[in-house]
Amino acid sequence: MSRARGPSLIAGSDEAPEGVHPTNKASRISSPGDVVALAALACGGVVGLALLPAILGVRCVRGLYQAGKKICSKDPVLDPDMAQDCDGIWPFSEKPGGGGAQQFPEGTKRLAGYVKMSDGVRIAVDVLLPPCAQGADGTFHPVPCVVHMARYWRAWEMRWPIRELLNRGEPWDFLLGPWKSALLESGFAVVSADVRGAGASGGVQSVVWSPRETQDTLELIDFIVGVNQPAGRQPWSDGQVALFGVSYDAGAAVRAAAHKHPAVKAVVASFLFGDIWRELFPGGIMNRWFLQSWCNVNSRLDNARLAAIHPFSPLIMKGAAPASSRKQLSRCVSEHRGNWDLMSAAGSIKAIDDPVAIGSGETMTCQNLELFANPLPSLDGKAVLPALAASQLPTLLISGWACVTSGTACAAFSALAGQHWRLLLGPWNHGGVQHVRYCRETKLLKFPKAKAVQEFLLYHMPRQGFAQSSVPAWLASPKPEVHFYVCGASPAWQHSTEWPPKNVVKKQLWLSTSQLTWTKDDLEHEGSTQLPKATDLVRYKWKASAVAKGRALLFETSVCPTTLAVIGSAVLTLRLRSSKDQDADIFAYLRERPPDGGDLVYITEGALRLSYRREEEAPDHEKAADPHSSDSSMASFGVVPHHSYRRQDIQMLPAEGWDPPDVCQRVP
């Protein structure tokens, strides 16, 4: 990407102080809103004290009941605190260091300000400096830094007295605060910036992950390391930069990393979206709830409408942390009104190649956001992930089995992994908030992903005068490695130098009237089954009555004689016919019957809108992630189905006649 001139410091004024600068801790009561918030909290405290005895009583009774269940339980598989939740590489819980869940380490210094991009847009930046980067006389000791581009505010400013309880009165990042705290403990500076059109930054978001947004990241790196800067490198920077992000922010990180900026030494991408259509329109069916909720939250954050997020939010929060004066913050937020309306665009899309208008006046399709095969002029015609692989940057990918981004992570590692690539796959939902435990209760995550990021960056971006006591076992080899968590009755971490792991084989099961059988000869009879009407919501807590009432079809195997581990994508192959030309949505759920014979336990799911059933040859990255089968009977099934989803291939299910075998419905 060409950068004709670098970012610049903004001239000092009341509107925008010069560059990044030390922040002053806010006074206790600094606005009328603080007075209102304090009064409301006081009233709430009185009510809380009145209800305290009842609340404590309920908690005690519940605790005694749970303790009794543990004592009476004869099946250790159902114990929610199994020792197998950890292994020799990563313990699942650890004591926090100098930082913690709600604060940065003691002595952390926060600088804040605006950095002006080459097109004049002001980007709000926080620089968090660890104690080791600060000299006694006000000077700085250069350290490596980790750059994070934030879509959901780089930090939140709280009202008094709540802010006194969080991060020693400084603004706090509720999404990535613990990650930043871990990096600060390791001696890294953390540079966190609001992307244009969000938080305290100015500008407009013309489309998600726009090329201009990527250029902002590269220009911010230039600002840090002194490229095209009269003042040279920032005094706290040693010239080494890593890029880091989770979810949307991970997309910003890899798009910038692919441009091979000489200062970038490593990239960490957690829960990275790589194929937007197949991830947010699975089987051609829009994940409307997620998209609508995500767009609503973004709109409310971008326009600082806290009350729309929750009526009580304005009582405890002021909004995005200012980077300079509140007058400048208000001006920047007012610019966000021109942000692109993603939900309106998504509602007009019926196929992967449908064009939509974006904020810049241009048009695009979902294919333009794909990271594997969409060539970009700024990358010399390469797509983002192939360009990232060509850069030979050490790369850490993190995802979870219960997150749709796991497909992107596995495919990227399988097809592109080079030296010092690591893939970490855990039992997590999107963002790693929950630890999903099959056959047992899901719990909030305690796995120290931040510790893994610490170790990875310290190994590849060492700080002068600081050395790890020993090389972590999972980083000792330069060869690419995947560390994955096997869920179920005996959970444990496993690792492999390739994906899929060796000795993974495809197994085929056959549908009969109500059974799943391992061989075709075991079928009671072949025939057709009437599908239920798809008018009722399917709940994750499966009820046997759903089958009895005709809301679902259930096919179940006999008890497995040996332990069965399922890795990768399950595929359901169907041949359907209809009494008339029509469309329908098929939802398939893979579940497990626990040993005690209780309710079925959710494992994974797939979906397909039948009019999108046309398949085409899978791209190389998907083939690489699919296990090779030596069983000739599996040859006709090939790899996990790759539906085209193109407008020209949409076709209703024909009346009466069976579809030919080459277009039978396969649900990934």
Side-chain angles (χ1 to χ4, degrees):
M1 179 177 291
S2 174
R3 302 192 298 281
R5 57 190 180 93
S8 62
L9 301 176
I10 299 174
S13 68
D14 177 63
E15 294 184 2
E18 182 176 350
V20 291
H21 54 86
T23 57
N24 296 319
K25 188 173 179 179
S27 58
R28 290 193 171 183
I29 297 180
S30 57
S31 68
D34 286 346
V35 177
V36 175
L38 181 61
L41 290 171
C43 293
V46 172
V47 175
L49 286 174
L51 296 177
L52 184 60
I55 295 172
L56 291 176
V58 171
R59 291 180 65 90
C60 288
V61 171
R62 183 179 297 172
L64 291 172
Y65 173 72
Q66 295 294 338
K69 285 180 64 179
K70 287 185 180 181
I71 293 173
C72 296
S73 174
K74 298 180 180 179
D75 187 355
V77 171
L78 301 179
D79 181 5
D81 298 313
M82 291 179 66
Q84 290 98 321
D85 274 357
C86 63
D87 70 356
I89 298 179
W90 292 297
F92 256 78
S93 79
E94 61 176 6
K95 294 181 180 179
Q102 289 87 32
Q103 64 182 13
F104 295 139
E106 184 73 40
T108 297
K109 185 172 186 176
R110 174 175 173 260
L111 312 178
Y114 283 98
V115 176
K116 192 174 184 179
M117 298 291 104
S118 57
D119 66 348
V121 171
R122 296 172 172 86
I123 298 297
V125 178
D126 278 359
V127 178
L128 304 174
L129 297 177
C132 64
Q134 305 168 42
D137 55 354
T139 59
F140 298 102
H141 301 306
V143 294
C145 78
V146 180
V147 172
H148 162 239
M149 302 300 292
R151 178 65 184 89
Y152 315 109
W153 295 1
R154 74 197 192 286
W156 299 57
E157 185 183 25
M158 311 302 291
R159 293 192 183 278
W160 187 87
I162 299 298
R163 64 170 166 260
E164 301 299 329
L165 307 176
L166 292 171
N167 200 29
R168 304 180 182 91
E170 291 286 351
W172 180 247
D173 183 346
F174 285 96
L175 295 179
L176 298 179
W179 299 67
K180 294 177 180 179
S181 182
L183 293 170
L184 290 164
E185 288 173 5
S186 298
F188 293 108
V190 178
V191 178
S192 193
D194 290 321
V195 299
R196 61 173 55 212
S201 288
V204 171
Q205 187 181 67
S206 61
V207 68
V208 292
W209 299 301
S210 68
R212 179 61 247 191
E213 189 178 300
T214 300
Q215 188 168 340
D216 291 343
T217 307
L218 298 172
E219 291 185 6
L220 180 59
I221 297 172
D222 287 347
F223 167 76
I224 294 169
V225 301
V227 176
N228 298 327
Q229 297 296 303
R233 181 194 300 169
Q234 293 297 305
W236 40 264
S237 168
D238 71 354
Q240 297 184 94
V241 173
L243 290 163
F244 163 76
V246 178
S247 188
Y248 183 99
D249 308 345
V254 298
R255 284 170 170 84
H259 286 78
K260 296 191 289 188
H261 193 293
V264 176
K265 306 302 181 184
V267 60
V268 178
S270 298
F271 305 94
L272 170 70
F273 288 98
D275 190 343
I276 285 295
W277 174 272
R278 290 176 172 82
E279 290 161 338
L280 299 184
F281 292 76
I285 305 167
M286 181 196 292
N287 190 338
R288 188 174 298 277
W289 176 88
F290 174 84
L291 276 171
Q292 187 67 70
S293 300
W294 187 73
C295 292
N296 287 344
V297 168
N298 284 339
S299 175
R300 292 162 186 172
L301 290 177
D302 295 347
N303 295 284
R305 294 188 291 117
L306 290 177
I309 297 176
H310 193 281
F312 292 155
S313 294
L315 297 178
I316 60 175
M317 302 174 182
K318 285 188 175 182
S324 64
S325 67
R326 296 194 180 279
K327 185 177 181 181
Q328 180 61 41
L329 173 64
S330 297
R331 289 181 178 177
C332 286
V333 170
S334 68
E335 296 176 11
H336 303 169
R337 296 169 187 162
N339 281 0
W340 183 53
D341 187 348
L342 171 60
M343 196 62 209
S344 295
S348 66
I349 296 174
K350 301 300 180 185
I352 194 172
D353 54 355
D354 280 352
V356 294
I358 60 177
S360 63
E362 302 170 293
T363 60
M364 60 164 284
T365 71
C366 287
Q367 293 166 310
N368 295 123
L369 298 176
E370 200 256 357
L371 297 183
F372 289 96
N374 178 48
L376 298 178
S378 61
L379 296 175
D380 298 326
K382 291 187 177 72
V384 170
L385 286 176
L388 176 63
S391 73
Q392 300 182 336
L393 277 178
T395 300
L396 172 59
L397 300 174
I398 301 176
S399 190
W401 295 127
C403 178
V404 71
T405 64
S406 58
T408 287
C410 290
F413 184 89
S414 301
L416 303 170
Q419 286 199 332
H420 300 297
W421 275 52
R422 292 296 184 270
L423 170 59
L424 184 59
L425 285 168
W428 310 316
N429 63 345
H430 189 63
V433 178
Q434 296 179 15
H435 172 201
V436 180
R437 308 194 301 175
Y438 305 128
C439 296
R440 296 175 292 149
E441 295 179 358
T442 291
K443 65 179 182 181
L444 292 179
L445 182 64
K446 294 184 180 179
F447 177 80
K449 294 193 298 298
K451 180 181 179 183
V453 174
Q454 271 180 318
E455 294 177 343
F456 184 81
L457 293 181
L458 279 172
Y459 182 76
H460 294 293
M461 204 166 57
R463 179 165 59 85
Q464 186 176 4
F466 179 87
Q468 290 177 288
S469 57
S470 61
V471 176
W474 69 292
L475 298 174
S477 171
K479 295 181 180 179
E481 287 186 9
V482 54
H483 294 261
F484 59 99
Y485 191 78
V486 177
C487 308
S490 300
W493 283 98
Q494 298 185 17
H495 76 278
S496 172
T497 57
E498 59 187 73
W499 190 265
K502 293 180 179 179
N503 302 321
V504 173
V505 296
K506 292 184 177 180
K507 291 290 187 180
Q508 197 168 350
L509 291 98
W510 299 85
L511 299 178
S512 70
T513 304
S514 60
Q515 292 181 320
L516 274 174
T517 62
W518 291 103
T519 63
K520 192 173 182 179
D521 295 338
D522 293 337
L523 292 179
E524 295 178 359
H525 66 275
E526 295 189 33
S528 60
T529 303
Q530 176 66 43
L531 291 176
K533 295 180 179 179
T535 56
D536 298 306
L537 294 176
V538 178
R539 300 183 182 278
Y540 283 100
K541 188 173 182 181
W542 184 271
K543 296 293 186 181
S545 60
V547 177
K549 295 179 180 179
R551 296 175 180 172
L553 298 176
L554 175 64
F555 301 90
E556 189 167 357
T557 69
S558 56
V559 176
C560 295
T562 59
T563 301
L564 178 67
V566 179
I567 294 177
S569 297
V571 178
L572 172 64
T573 302
L574 299 172
R575 293 186 66 200
L576 304 173
R577 64 182 177 184
S578 173
S579 60
K580 60 181 179 179
D581 289 353
Q582 63 176 332
D583 205 357
D585 295 341
I586 300 294
F587 296 89
Y589 297 84
L590 181 63
R591 297 172 180 266
E592 179 186 8
R593 179 82 67 185
D596 61 5
D599 288 341
L600 293 172
V601 177
Y602 171 85
I603 296 177
T604 189
E605 66 187 89
L608 177 66
R609 180 159 291 166
L610 295 182
S611 57
Y612 293 89
R613 64 192 180 278
R614 176 67 63 179
E615 295 181 28
E616 61 184 8
E617 184 177 358
D620 290 342
H621 64 272
E622 290 187 10
K623 291 180 180 178
D626 195 64
H628 173 72
S629 177
S630 58
D631 185 351
S632 59
S633 66
M634 297 290 293
S636 61
F637 291 88
V639 298
V640 173
H642 184 84
H643 301 283
S644 76
Y645 298 120
R646 289 192 296 269
R647 169 68 66 175
Q648 67 183 33
D649 294 331
I650 298 176
Q651 183 181 10
M652 296 295 106
L653 187 68
E656 296 299 339
W658 294 99
D659 266 347
D662 61 328
V663 289
C664 58
Q665 287 62 246
R666 303 205 297 156
V667 184

